Amino acid sequence: RAEATRYFRGEPFGDEETGRSQVVTQDTRDSIMLMLPTLMRTFFGSEKALEFMPTGPEDVQLAEQLTEYVNHILKENDCFNQFQACFQDALLKRCGITKTVWEELEDIKTYNYTGLGDQELQVLLMDNNAEDVEVQSYPDPELKPGPPPPPQIMPDGSIVQMEPPSPPQLHDAVVTRRTIDGRVRIVAVPPEEFLIDRTSRSLEEANIVSHRRYLTVSELSRMGYDPEEMEDYAGQSDELAFNQEVYERNPSAFLYYDNRTDEAMRKVLYIENYVKVDFEGTGIAQLRRICTVGSAYNIVMNEPVAEQPFQLFTPYPEAHRWRGQSVFDLTRDVQLIKSHVLRNQLDSLSLSIFPRLAVVDGQVNIDDALSTEMGSIIRQRSPGAVQQLTLPYTGRDASQILGYMDEIKESRTGMNRSSAGLNPEHMQSTTAVAISAQINAAQMQLDLVSRNFAETMKKIFHRVQRLIMRHQDRPRMIRLSGQFVQMDPRSWNSNFDVEVNVALGSGSDQERMATLTMFSQKQEEILQKLGPNNPIVGVSQYMNTLRKIVELSGFKDVQNYVGNPNYNPQKEKEAEEPSPEQVLAQVQASQIQAQMQIEAARLQQDREEMILKDDRERDKMEADMQIKVAELESKYNTSIDVAAIRASIERERMRKTDA
C-alpha cells in the first residue's frame, strides 16, 4: 500500500541515473481519477443516495420516513467526503474500509453571553444542561432612570419619601454546558488502522477484526473511560507510530514531535477488537467487543455484541478471499514500463538535439566544449580537435510501445479517453457507432465495480437502520425540504420488510433521460385517452417519471419542479370532509366556547356591581369627611388640608384596586 501511494503520486522508482531523464508517468492516478468521478456521481449524483423500498402496502409510510431519515444522517456525517476517501482507498489499495457505529459522547463547552435582559437570563438559567453559570449585572448605559416619585402622605399626616426606581439591568453570563448526545457515525478508516484475520475468506467469517488508532485522553474520557487511568497509558507507542504507509501519505507529519504537556491531550494507543471467542465456556464462540489501551494491550472493555461495524469495498473481488485487486495492481507494470520507455525516448531526443563531442585531450578548452549557449565558440589548439558524434533520434519507434501499453491499460481497467466523456460525433477517425460501442464496453467494467460497491453500500444502510432503531431513545427534530419533522424510531416496527435501492443504473444519463422522455410521452397519451383512473398509468407514475428526469438533469431540489408522487385527490377530498368524530369534537368545542362566553358575561356584571357599590361607599365617606372636617375646624379654630387627605385616600384606593 505504501508503494501504491508512491505510484499514485508519480514519485521516482529509485533507479534513476544522474544526467538522464527521470520522468514518471502517472497511469495509476489517471485511471483512478477517471473512475472516481463516475462512481461518486453514481452514488451521490441524485437527491437521495438510497431509498428503502417497501415490500408490502403496510410498509410504505415507514419506508418513506426511513429513507428521509437515513439520507439526513448521511448528510450529517459528510458522507460524500467519507465515501470519496473510501472509494479512493479501494481503487488504490485493494480495500476501502468504513466503520458505522452508534456513539454517545459527553461534550463540555463554555459559552459567553453579553447584554442579556432579565427574561433572556431567566431562560438561560432554566437550561438543564447548564452546570456552571457566572452572571455579572450592570446598568443599561443607553437607558436613563426615570424621575423620582413624589413624596407620599400617609393617613396619619406624615410624609414618606419614596425610593427611586432601580435602573434597567443588563447581564453578562458565562455558561458551561455538559451534554451527552448519541448519533450514528459513518467514517472512512485508513487501511493501516484496520486489522483482520488473514486466513478469513470474508469479513463476516473473520475470527477477529480490529481498529487500532491513537486517541487523546480527552477523547477517551468523552467515551466514558476514567481519565486518570488513561493517563497511565499515554505516551506508549508501537509499530503504528512508525508505519511506512502513514509516512508515505503524510511525510511532514513525522517532522512534528508531539510534546504536549497537558495530560488531556496526550495520545493513547486504543485498539477496538471484535473477536469470536467462547468466553462463557459453552462450547460456542460468540462475538465480543474487547478494547485495549497501551502497547501492553491492557483490556479496558469486554462485552458481547451482535455484529461488527466494518464494511469493505473492493473493486475487483477474488473468489474465496476477503480482499481482491486494485487499479494499482492492474497498472503497476504499465506505469513502470511506460516510464522507462518514455525516459529512453526523451534521452534519445536530448542526444539528437545536444549531441556528444569527441575532443583531443589538452587541445580543447573544456569549458567551451561543455557550453550549450547558442553561437558560442570552442577554442582549440589545432584543427579537428573537436568532433561531433551525431546520433539519430530513435524515439519514433518507442511511440508504438507507449501506445501498446495504453491499450493494455485500457483493456484491464476499461478506462480510456472515449469513456472519459468525449462526444462520439467529434471523433472523426471512426464512426459514432463504433465509438459508442467502445464506450459501452468500457462502461460495463465500471458498472461491475459500481455493482460491487453497491452491495457493500446496502449493508451499510441496513446497519444504519438497525442502529437508530436499537439506540435512539428519544425523538429528533430534523429539517427536511425546509420543514422541521420529528423522527422517532421507537414507534417503528423493527420487523418490517424493506429493500435498499442504491442509485445505480445502466447506461449514461443521456440515454436514461431519452428513455424516460419517451416513457413520459407514452404516459401522457394514455392519460389523455383513458383518463387518470386507467389501469395502465396513474398520475403518481407520471409524476415519478418527471421527478427522475429532473434528477438526471442535475437538479437536486426536485420538489420545486414536481409535486409529491404520493398525492391522492381522494384522500385530499376525504381530509376536507370532516368525519363524525371531528363533527362531534367541533360541537363540543362550540359548547365549551359558549359556556366560556356566558361565564365571562357574568364576571363582567359582577365587576360592574362591585364598582357601583364602591362608588356609593366613597360618596358616603366623602360626606362624612366633610362633616368631620367642619366639626374639627369649628372646635379647634384651625384649618385642615382636605386636598392632602383626599390624595392619600385616593392613592390607597388605587393601590387596593391594582392589588
Side-chain angles (χ1 to χ4, degrees), residues 259-296:
N259 56 354
R260 295 289 296 266
T261 57
D262 50 334
E263 296 293 340
M265 296 304 298
R266 296 186 63 191
K267 293 183 178 180
V268 180
L269 177 64
Y270 181 76
I271 306 180
E272 186 178 355
N273 308 276
Y274 292 84
V275 189
K276 292 180 180 179
V277 59
D278 181 15
F279 186 77
E280 299 178 354
T282 60
I284 300 177
Q286 297 179 348
L287 186 64
R288 301 188 69 88
R289 177 172 176 259
I290 302 176
C291 301
T292 65
V293 294
S295 57

Side-chain angles (χ1 to χ4, degrees), residues 224-346:
Y225 293 105
D226 184 7
E228 296 182 357
E229 181 183 1
M230 296 300 104
E231 291 172 2
D232 297 337
Y233 304 109
Q236 301 179 7
S237 62
D238 70 337
E239 67 276 5
L240 183 61
F242 307 97
N243 186 271
Q244 183 68 19
E245 185 177 356
V246 180
Y247 176 79
E248 292 295 341
R249 182 189 300 116
N250 189 10
S252 60
F254 285 75
L255 300 177
Y256 169 72
Y257 180 73
D258 188 10
N259 56 354
R260 295 289 296 266
T261 57
D262 50 334
E263 296 293 340
M265 296 304 298
R266 296 186 63 191
K267 293 183 178 180
V268 180
L269 177 64
Y270 181 76
I271 306 180
E272 186 178 355
N273 308 276
Y274 292 84
V275 189
K276 292 180 180 179
V277 59
D278 181 15
F279 186 77
E280 299 178 354
T282 60
I284 300 177
Q286 297 179 348
L287 186 64
R288 301 188 69 88
R289 177 172 176 259
I290 302 176
C291 301
T292 65
V293 294
S295 57
Y297 312 117
N298 301 276
I299 297 177
V300 293
M301 179 176 292
N302 186 348
E303 62 180 6
V305 292
E307 56 184 341
Q308 50 86 16
F310 303 102
Q311 296 297 338
L312 300 181
F313 292 86
T314 182
Y316 305 103
E318 292 185 6
H320 315 299
R321 193 179 182 189
W322 68 272
R323 71 177 181 186
Q325 289 187 317
S326 65
V327 175
F328 166 69
D329 295 324
L330 304 180
T331 60
R332 174 183 179 183
D333 57 338
V334 174
Q335 181 167 334
L336 184 63
I337 294 174
K338 284 185 62 179
S339 297
H340 284 85
V341 171
L342 183 58
R343 288 177 180 181
N344 294 330
Q345 187 180 23
L346 294 176

